[in-house]
Amino acid sequence: MIGHEQHDIIIAIDGPAASGKSTTARRVAKKLGYTYIDTGAMYRSVTLKALEHDMLDRLKHSPEDVRILLDPLSIEFQGDRVLLDGRDVTAGIRENRVSREVSFISSLKPVRDRLKTLQQQMGEKRGVVMDGRDIGTVIFPDAELKIFLVADAAERARRRYAELVQKNGNPASLPSLDELEREIVQRDRDDAERAHAPLRKHEDAIEVDTSSLTIDEQVELVYSLAMERISAGTSRA
Ligand code: CDP
């Protein structure tokens, strides 16, 4: 055959809350014709399931009971929609009550083990952009491109606030900007200090500070890094 075989890679995008991972990952995936996998949505789905079963207090005393939520558990992506056990939970998983509890649920080893298996299956054919906290360190340490997105906390709170206003419409029902910033900083601390798969930058990851970048600029930057890696792999093939 004349020409190059397409060399599909894995792009891992990690970083703290509201650093722009999902917007960047979704748009880079679209430009490349890759699949976007939002692993935060998966942890949020398990958290929503725990809230719906009124299990938060019980899990704080008996974390091993989380197995009730995992057996059975199905999480699927259909375009931009997230299906939990066959039900569309796309809006529900973004509610702030989920954001407040998700770090606790995602610190539980049985939850991490189950989602790790699902995520590795989703990426096994490569050609994926996956974002989260531990993608470059634990899920795909062999990802050809690893990005660690950061931004200062005040800027991240402003972005998350604007996103919540856009989705909820009514700022009166939302936490204040200060409260949101405190919650984000607390969540980062919880994610970074947990025992299993804590948030941290892989030594090979490229750190990108998005505090003063526009979304278009950060998408272009990650896309051009991806194109470099794809053509490096193709010329070696
Ligand atoms: O969108 P945002 O940055 O607020 O968070 P997210 O990506 O939706 O992730 C929500 C939470 O899930 C994080 O705060 C982590 O506690 C957890 N998470 C994780 O532990 N590992 C991942 N790979 C992705 C998310």
Side-chain angles (χ1 to χ4, degrees), residues 2 11 18-19 23 29 38 41 47 73 78 102 116 128 138 169 181 194 200-201 220 226 230 234:
I2 300 172
I11 302 171
S19 53
T23 314
D38 176 354
T47 307
L73 173 78
Q78 271 181 11
V102 65
K116 178 179 179 182
V128 295
V138 173
E181 183 174 334
R194 69 179 173 223
R200 93 184 152 73
K201 178 179 169 294
E220 270 318 306
I230 292 169
T234 304

Side-chain angles (χ1 to χ4, degrees), residues 49-119:
K49 191 166 175 177
L51 285 164
E52 287 175 346
H53 285 72
D54 211 5
M55 276 189 64
L56 259 305
D57 286 342
R58 174 171 167 188
L59 291 179
K60 283 177 187 166
H61 294 107
S62 320
E64 61 288 351
D65 289 353
V66 77
R67 291 186 194 282
I68 296 168
L69 300 175
L70 303 178
D71 189 23
L73 173 78
S74 133
I75 300 174
E76 292 164 285
F77 293 99
Q78 271 181 11
D80 285 345
R81 320 302 300 168
V82 185
L83 303 186
L84 165 65
D85 299 328
R87 195 164 46 93
D88 189 333
V89 293
T90 315
I93 60 171
R94 300 290 156 202
E95 287 173 19
N96 218 39
R97 64 181 183 133
V98 173
S99 304
R100 286 194 187 109
E101 299 294 349
V102 65
S103 286
F104 165 63
I105 293 293
S106 62
S107 70
L108 304 175
K109 179 100 174 23
V111 175
R112 300 214 74 82
D113 288 345
R114 172 63 72 82
L115 296 192
K116 178 179 179 182
T117 305
L118 281 176
Q119 289 157 13

Side-chain angles (χ1 to χ4, degrees), residues 142-153:
D142 65 341
E144 287 83 351
L145 178 60
K146 302 184 186 74
I147 302 285
F148 197 77
L149 278 194
V150 298
D152 63 56

Side-chain angles (χ1 to χ4, degrees), residues 13-22 36 38-44 47 93-94 98-99 101-107 112 115 119 130-135 139 156 160 163 184 187-188 190-192 194 196-199:
I13 304 186
D14 291 304
S19 53
K21 298 180 301 292
S22 57
Y36 164 52
D38 176 354
T39 66
M42 301 172 81
Y43 288 96
R44 286 172 177 274
T47 307
I93 60 171
R94 300 290 156 202
V98 173
S99 304
E101 299 294 349
V102 65
S103 286
F104 165 63
I105 293 293
S106 62
S107 70
R112 300 214 74 82
L115 296 192
Q119 289 157 13
M130 197 173 276
D131 79 340
R133 302 293 186 286
D134 60 343
I135 310 306
I139 306 298
R156 292 189 282 127
R160 183 50 46 94
E163 191 183 316
I184 283 178
R187 184 145 63 90
D188 291 346
D190 292 342
D191 288 344
R194 69 179 173 223
H196 310 294
L199 167 67

